[in-house]
């Protein structure tokens, strides 16, 4: 990654988001407007994270727009992969313990598309999308245990719902409808499995 001639943009979508981010940094208006006919008008992927992080890097390190964008483009994908691994570890450790948490974290780290391809500079939305989906699912699971009360009523579920709703909006803007649907499906499957297990336990004591 540190080699100046490293070929770090490895897909057509990566080039597309890289091009959009460069335009934002140079003050060029976004080529798509909300009313445009293009179906991806609102779904900007890594465009804005790339552009704003590159602006910050250029300001801090005194780099040109081109160099700052190249630097961020090289390091943002693997950083997203590392964050996802750490997130899985922390949540699994919270649910079970640290030793158990190593297994899902290492399994995720060994997944080819997550880190290996991402570290090569895959600037498509995949890394951010998966991180958002995981964050939404884990947030919902962990927030259900929050005992936050208003007027004597437990509204921890409300915090979980609002958190997931916020993630859903970001997913839709960053991806397409598939992202929010995937997160809702994960939460729905959780409820189905949870109540099936509860029903199974009841069958042991009730006719």
């Amino acid at each position: 990654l540190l080699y100046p001639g490293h070929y770090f943009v490895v897909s057509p979508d990566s080039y597309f988001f890289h091009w959009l981010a460069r335009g934002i940094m140079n003050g060029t208006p976004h080529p798509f407007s909300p009313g445009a006919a293009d179906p991806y008008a609102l779904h900007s992927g890594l465009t804005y994270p790339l552009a704003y992080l590159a602006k910050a890097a250029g300001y801090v390190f005194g780099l040109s727009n081109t160099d700052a964008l190249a630097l961020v483009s090289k390091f943002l994908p693997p950083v997203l992969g590392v964050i996802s691994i750490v997130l899985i570890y922390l949540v699994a450790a919270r649910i079970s313990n640290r030793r158990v948490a190593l297994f899902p974290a290492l399994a995720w780290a060994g997944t080819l598309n997550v880190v290996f391809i991402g570290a090569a500079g895959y600037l498509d939305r995949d890394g951010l999308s998966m991180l958002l989906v995981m964050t939404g699912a884990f947030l919902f699971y962990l927030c259900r245990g929050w005992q936050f009360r208003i007027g004597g009523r437990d509204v921890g579920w409300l915090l979980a719902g609002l958190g997931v709703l916020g993630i859903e909006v970001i997913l839709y803007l960053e991806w397409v409808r598939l992202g929010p649907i995937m997160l809702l499906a994960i939460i729905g499957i959780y409820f189905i499995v949870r109540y099936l297990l509860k029903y199974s336990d009841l069958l042991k004591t009730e006719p």
Side-chain angles (χ1 to χ4, degrees), residues 9-104:
V9 182
V10 295
S11 76
D13 286 346
S14 296
Y15 276 106
F16 178 70
F17 294 124
H18 189 270
W19 170 69
L20 286 181
R22 186 173 65 237
I24 291 173
M25 292 189 69
N26 293 332
T28 306
H30 196 296
F32 305 123
S33 63
D38 191 286
Y40 293 93
L42 289 174
H43 311 299
S44 57
L46 284 176
T47 298
Y48 290 99
L50 275 175
Y52 294 133
L53 286 173
K55 279 188 176 181
Y59 178 79
V60 171
F61 299 110
L63 301 172
S64 66
N65 285 349
T66 301
D67 291 340
L69 183 58
L71 178 68
V72 174
S73 297
K74 289 178 181 181
F75 287 98
L76 183 59
V79 166
L80 289 174
V82 170
I83 292 174
S84 67
I85 295 169
V86 173
L87 178 65
I88 289 176
Y89 174 80
L90 292 176
V91 173
R94 173 71 173 80
I95 294 172
S96 183
N97 59 62
R98 293 181 179 179
R99 286 183 294 178
V100 171
L102 285 174
F103 287 98

Side-chain angles (χ1 to χ4, degrees), residues 132-149:
L132 288 171
V133 169
M134 281 193 289
T135 301
F138 292 153
L139 180 67
F140 187 85
Y141 180 82
L142 294 177
C143 283
R144 70 191 179 93
W146 289 5
Q147 302 300 313
F148 183 73
R149 297 185 177 275

Side-chain angles (χ1 to χ4, degrees), residues 120-199:
Y122 194 63
L123 295 176
D124 201 357
R125 55 172 63 94
D126 294 16
L128 182 57
S129 297
M130 292 310 300
L131 182 59
L132 288 171
V133 169
M134 281 193 289
T135 301
F138 292 153
L139 180 67
F140 187 85
Y141 180 82
L142 294 177
C143 283
R144 70 191 179 93
W146 289 5
Q147 302 300 313
F148 183 73
R149 297 185 177 275
I150 296 179
R153 294 183 179 275
D154 184 5
V155 292
W157 62 270
L158 180 60
L159 295 177
L162 291 175
V164 171
L165 181 61
I167 298 291
E168 292 273 13
V169 171
I170 297 173
L171 267 173
Y172 178 73
L173 294 175
E174 180 263 341
W175 198 0
V176 287
R177 291 186 182 90
L178 182 60
I181 290 172
M182 184 182 295
L183 179 53
L184 286 177
I186 291 172
I187 294 174
I189 291 170
Y190 163 76
F191 273 114
I192 291 171
V193 172
R194 180 182 177 187
Y195 284 106
L196 284 176
L197 290 174
K198 187 177 292 186
Y199 180 71

